[in-house]
Amino acid sequence: MDGSLIPVDVTGHDSFMPRFHRRKVILVTGGAGFVGSHLCERLIAEGHSVVCLDNLLTGRKENVAGLLDHPQFRFLEQDILNRIDWQGPLDEIYNLACAASPPLYQRDPIHTFRTCTEGVLNLLALARATGARILQASTSEVYGDPEISPQHEGYRGCVNTVGPRACYDEGKRAAETLFWEFGAHQGLEVRIARIFNTYGPRMSPEDGRVVSNFIVQALTRSDITLYGDGMQTRSFCYVDDLVAGLMALMASEVSEPVNLGNPGEFTMRELAEMVLTQTGSSSRLVHRPLPVDDPRQRRPDIAQAARLLGWAPTVPLAEGIARTIRHFAGEPQVVRAREALLVHA
Amino acid sequence: MDGSLIPVDVTGHDSFMPRFHRRKVILVTGGAGFVGSHLCERLIAEGHSVVCLDNLLTGRKENVAGLLDHPQFRFLEQDILNRIDWQGPLDEIYNLACAASPPLYQRDPIHTFRTCTEGVLNLLALARATGARILQASTSEVYGDPEISPQHEGYRGCVNTVGPRACYDEGKRAAETLFWEFGAHQGLEVRIARIFNTYGPRMSPEDGRVVSNFIVQALTRSDITLYGDGMQTRSFCYVDDLVAGLMALMASEVSEPVNLGNPGEFTMRELAEMVLTQTGSSSRLVHRPLPVDDPRQRRPDIAQAARLLGWAPTVPLAEGIARTIRHFAGEPQVVRAREALLVHA
């Protein structure tokens, strides 16, 4: 795929010309993914012109179905490993392109890694060519299985370089390094968000992340899978909060990495019980062995985000989970499974 | 540079055909560098056919001058970012291609990083295509500024992803990840050596590493530069010991990372004083501020290498330093500087 140039021309499209100061032309890579689609919606709602680029490996075009006819929105099916020949203005790039859940990023680990390195280099080159400000969706996985809690930005992490999670963890660490280099030595305006667990509508029901797993299992009355003893903790940020944080970071002058997440900490067992209660499901909890290198604890220190961006999450877990359950109850896969349950009842 | 194919054909060359079981065809990338040139010499001495590939960014053709006319040695000036179209048998690849000292690897940080990622991917593809066993020269820098001493292979390191050393540290971590992936999922025979500080003849006098710095400064009666208080420690392995370790690892069945180094620990001040004593120099010790992210302490735990490879270093520091001083006394740059001292004396 390398080397091919996909031309993107936004000069001739009136809707892609910034008409007044606050309307920007913004590229969102991975824009058809879970977080990306919420970000695209919010940017469009604020009046910006958005090019959403996604290879649809894990993103879904349905996620941006509501935007496809919008005159200021354009969807491009493309991999960031293909260099982009951009014509016209470009104000901002949000790079959210990378599979984010272990079963999906481990499906083609070399592609995952190259997305975070060669793909990132392509986007940094585009930012340099256009003068766009560029934000990298980094991750709490750069902290690996942390020895301290909560994790602050100065913590250097505990990541295994050789193991099944390394293609993602080390890839994301490498992307931060590339961003830092282009910021420090090539004058780019770079932003690095270390995103902690995020949940909400449009999480893929099949990507193996815990919130979507539990909700789908509860709604379809399947067993709810707890790995290990279920006492490992995570902190969960509702997607609207995260999107607000990403936009605040982009608008800031902060080029150092900033944690974005919700510091509220819950065990997997607590989360499972909350989902069972809200769904009224009769699913049972079952235990499976802990996967290799699975972090025991992950919780953001968001003092930097509060101080530098004036940002903090606002949606409580119980409310976010309720909204997410409503979304999943309408997912075709879940609807079909529930209909089958009724047939066999 | 990407994408171009440099053909290497060893099929027509009788000397490159393995004549009996123990003679191998071996590619040494970075073979004109400090460690690489010693490795090439040793492999040739053992009767193997060696292709030495080097972009000469930090390697020097003089380092392999004694091998250029050898019928079983071939030198190729090439960057590993160029894919290699290899024709004929290939038994082993030692990847030593990457600038290794901070001033040199920071000269073009993106090239340094790509050497460790895209360059490594090219070599892994070559290993897959030829069935060659492949060894990566990793580094103690994957441990960063370690919180434990000595460092064992299970220690996950303390590396800053955003800073001037990250292009190398994270690049080398990334290379380990790529090796692991090709070993675990693509059936390659991979070897990963985590090399600690190494010294000896043919270190570049200009690469800013401490042993060469001190010796050149002492021989030319310049001030000897100690960074910080000079109490930070390093462990120094003589290059012949390291080469023996690399070959033992290559010959082993160990695919996990293995530390190679000399656990003898010396402060920078002790090293400076040893060099002053052995050279009889009148140089003064002067202090400079510690560079960003400079590790305070670095010492290998080599229990794994001893247990799995039966390897341990044998050359004491005083003896290795004496041999290295003899080498540097004959370096043209040092000879000229000493002649100038005599003229002005």
Side-chain angles (χ1 to χ4, degrees):
Chain A
M1 276 178 299
D2 328 44
S4 56
L5 287 165
I6 307 288
V8 181
D9 189 347
V10 297
T11 50
H13 297 256
D14 183 57
S15 60
F16 277 85
M17 293 299 288
R19 287 190 205 141
F20 50 90
H21 181 64
R22 297 297 305 154
R23 173 173 290 183
K24 296 183 183 132
V25 179
I26 301 174
L27 171 63
V28 180
T29 63
F34 159 49
V35 172
S37 64
H38 286 272
L39 176 63
C40 287
E41 272 180 0
R42 178 77 184 273
L43 293 171
I44 287 286
E46 297 212 348
H48 301 298
S49 297
V50 173
V51 174
C52 165
L53 187 148
D54 204 299
N55 62 7
L56 299 182
L57 272 184
T58 62
R60 300 190 299 173
K61 209 165 173 181
E62 307 91 273
N63 286 343
V64 290
L67 298 172
L68 289 173
D69 292 331
H70 196 286
Q72 281 165 236
F73 183 83
R74 191 190 307 180
F75 175 77
L76 287 176
E77 183 174 341
Q78 190 187 316
D79 196 302
I80 62 167
L81 285 172
N82 291 75
R83 273 177 284 169
I84 303 161
D85 175 28
W86 189 278
Q87 306 292 328
L90 180 57
D91 298 293
E92 293 175 353
I93 304 171
Y94 287 88
N95 179 30
L96 277 61
C98 190
S101 78
L104 297 183
Y105 70 62
Q106 289 172 15
R107 212 185 268 168
D108 184 350
I110 301 301
H111 183 268
T112 298
F113 181 85
R114 291 178 64 217
T115 298
C116 297
T117 52
E118 293 166 56
V120 158
L121 280 170
N122 280 339
L123 295 179
L124 288 165
L126 176 61
R128 185 172 50 194
T130 57
R133 183 174 284 192
I134 181 165
L135 181 145
Q136 167 67 3
S138 188
T139 164
S140 59
E141 299 287 342
V142 301
Y143 301 126
D145 188 359
E147 303 116 321
I148 63 166
S149 182
Q151 294 87 49
H152 59 84
E153 289 86 348
Y155 175 57
R156 294 186 177 182
C158 182
V159 170
N160 188 2
T161 59
V162 288
R165 297 177 77 103
C167 61
Y168 183 78
D169 299 1
E170 289 296 335
K172 287 288 191 174
R173 289 177 65 97
E176 289 195 0
T177 298
L178 294 171
F179 265 66
W180 185 87
E181 279 295 343
F182 276 75
H185 296 138
Q186 308 208 25
L188 262 66
E189 295 186 6
V190 298
R191 305 289 178 261
I192 301 169
R194 290 186 178 154
I195 301 173
F196 284 65
N197 280 27
T198 304
Y199 71 101
R202 301 198 205 116
M203 295 182 82
S204 166
E206 288 154 329
D207 77 354
R209 281 191 282 195
V210 62
V211 173
S212 44
N213 272 1
F214 284 1
I215 291 177
V216 171
Q217 288 165 339
L219 288 173
T220 59
R221 287 189 233 158
S222 315
D223 291 344
I224 290 193
T225 322
L226 284 174
Y227 292 96
D229 59 6
M231 298 310 287
Q232 68 274 40
T233 66
R234 293 290 186 278
S235 58
F236 299 101
C237 186
Y238 190 66
V239 64
D240 290 358
D241 282 333
L242 176 70
V243 164
L246 292 173
M247 291 172 68
L249 177 59
M250 181 66 102
S252 79
E253 297 303 316
V254 182
S255 60
E256 296 300 302
V258 177
N259 288 340
L260 294 178
N262 190 323
E265 195 173 13
F266 296 84
T267 66
M268 297 301 92
R269 178 170 289 279
E270 286 171 323
L271 177 69
E273 281 160 4
M274 183 184 286
V275 169
L276 283 176
T277 306
Q278 289 204 14
T279 54
S281 171
S282 56
S283 293
R284 294 175 313 144
L285 299 184
V286 297
H287 292 266
R288 294 274 170 75
L290 212 56
V292 174
D293 292 339
D294 194 55
R296 287 159 305 204
Q297 189 179 40
R298 196 68 78 52
R299 183 176 166 230
D301 177 334
I302 57 168
Q304 285 269 71
R307 189 168 60 82
L308 299 172
L309 314 178
W311 173 87
T314 61
V315 181
L317 185 64
E319 183 184 329
I321 290 290
R323 292 191 209 169
T324 310
I325 289 171
R326 279 199 294 279
H327 163 79
F328 274 103
E331 276 273 322
Q333 174 197 343
V334 174
V335 171
R336 279 194 303 275
R338 284 160 71 88
E339 284 167 357
L341 284 175
L342 289 174
V343 169
H344 296 292
Chain B
M1 278 179 296
D2 327 44
S4 56
L5 285 166
I6 305 289
V8 181
D9 189 346
V10 297
T11 48
H13 297 256
D14 182 57
S15 59
F16 278 84
M17 293 297 288
R19 285 189 208 142
F20 50 92
H21 181 64
R22 296 297 305 152
R23 173 172 290 181
K24 297 182 183 133
V25 179
I26 300 173
L27 171 63
V28 181
T29 62
F34 158 50
V35 173
S37 65
H38 287 271
L39 177 62
C40 287
E41 272 180 359
R42 178 77 185 272
L43 293 171
I44 287 286
E46 296 211 348
H48 301 298
S49 297
V50 173
V51 174
C52 166
L53 187 149
D54 204 300
N55 63 6
L56 299 182
L57 272 185
T58 62
R60 300 189 300 171
K61 210 165 173 182
E62 307 91 273
N63 285 344
V64 290
L67 297 172
L68 290 174
D69 293 332
H70 195 287
Q72 281 165 239
F73 183 82
R74 191 191 304 181
F75 176 77
L76 288 176
E77 184 174 340
Q78 190 187 316
D79 196 302
I80 62 167
L81 285 172
N82 292 76
R83 274 177 282 168
I84 303 162
D85 175 28
W86 189 279
Q87 305 294 326
L90 180 58
D91 298 294
E92 294 175 355
I93 304 171
Y94 287 88
N95 179 30
L96 278 61
C98 189
S101 77
L104 297 183
Y105 70 62
Q106 289 172 15
R107 213 184 266 167
D108 184 349
I110 300 303
H111 182 268
T112 298
F113 181 84
R114 292 179 63 220
T115 298
C116 296
T117 51
E118 293 165 58
V120 158
L121 281 169
N122 280 338
L123 295 179
L124 288 165
L126 176 60
R128 185 174 49 195
T130 58
R133 183 175 284 192
I134 183 165
L135 182 146
Q136 166 68 1
S138 188
T139 164
S140 59
E141 299 288 342
V142 301
Y143 300 125
D145 189 358
E147 303 118 321
I148 63 164
S149 182
Q151 294 87 48
H152 60 84
E153 289 86 349
Y155 175 57
R156 294 186 176 181
C158 181
V159 170
N160 188 1
T161 59
V162 289
R165 298 177 77 102
C167 61
Y168 183 78
D169 300 1
E170 289 297 336
K172 287 288 190 173
R173 288 175 66 97
E176 289 195 0
T177 298
L178 293 172
F179 265 66
W180 185 86
E181 279 295 343
F182 276 75
H185 296 137
Q186 309 209 22
L188 263 64
E189 296 186 5
V190 298
R191 306 289 178 262
I192 301 169
R194 290 186 177 155
I195 301 174
F196 285 65
N197 279 28
T198 304
Y199 71 101
R202 302 197 204 120
M203 296 183 81
S204 166
E206 288 154 331
D207 77 353
R209 281 189 282 193
V210 63
V211 173
S212 45
N213 271 3
F214 284 2
I215 291 177
V216 171
Q217 288 165 340
L219 287 174
T220 59
R221 288 189 232 157
S222 313
D223 290 343
I224 290 192
T225 323
L226 284 174
Y227 293 96
D229 60 7
M231 299 309 289
Q232 68 274 39
T233 65
R234 293 289 186 279
S235 60
F236 299 101
C237 186
Y238 189 66
V239 64
D240 291 357
D241 281 333
L242 175 70
V243 164
L246 292 172
M247 291 171 67
L249 177 58
M250 182 67 100
S252 79
E253 297 303 315
V254 182
S255 59
E256 295 299 302
V258 178
N259 288 339
L260 293 178
N262 189 324
E265 195 173 14
F266 296 85
T267 66
M268 297 301 95
R269 178 172 290 278
E270 286 171 322
L271 176 71
E273 281 160 4
M274 183 183 286
V275 169
L276 283 176
T277 306
Q278 290 204 13
T279 55
S281 171
S282 56
S283 292
R284 294 175 314 145
L285 300 184
V286 298
H287 291 267
R288 295 272 170 75
L290 211 57
V292 175
D293 292 336
D294 194 54
R296 287 158 306 200
Q297 189 180 38
R298 194 68 76 53
R299 182 174 165 232
D301 179 332
I302 56 168
Q304 285 269 71
R307 188 169 60 83
L308 298 173
L309 314 178
W311 174 87
T314 61
V315 181
L317 185 64
E319 184 185 327
I321 290 290
R323 292 190 209 170
T324 310
I325 290 170
R326 280 200 293 280
H327 164 80
F328 274 103
E331 276 272 322
Q333 174 197 344
V334 174
V335 171
R336 280 194 303 275
R338 283 162 69 88
E339 284 167 356
L341 285 174
L342 288 174
V343 168
H344 296 293

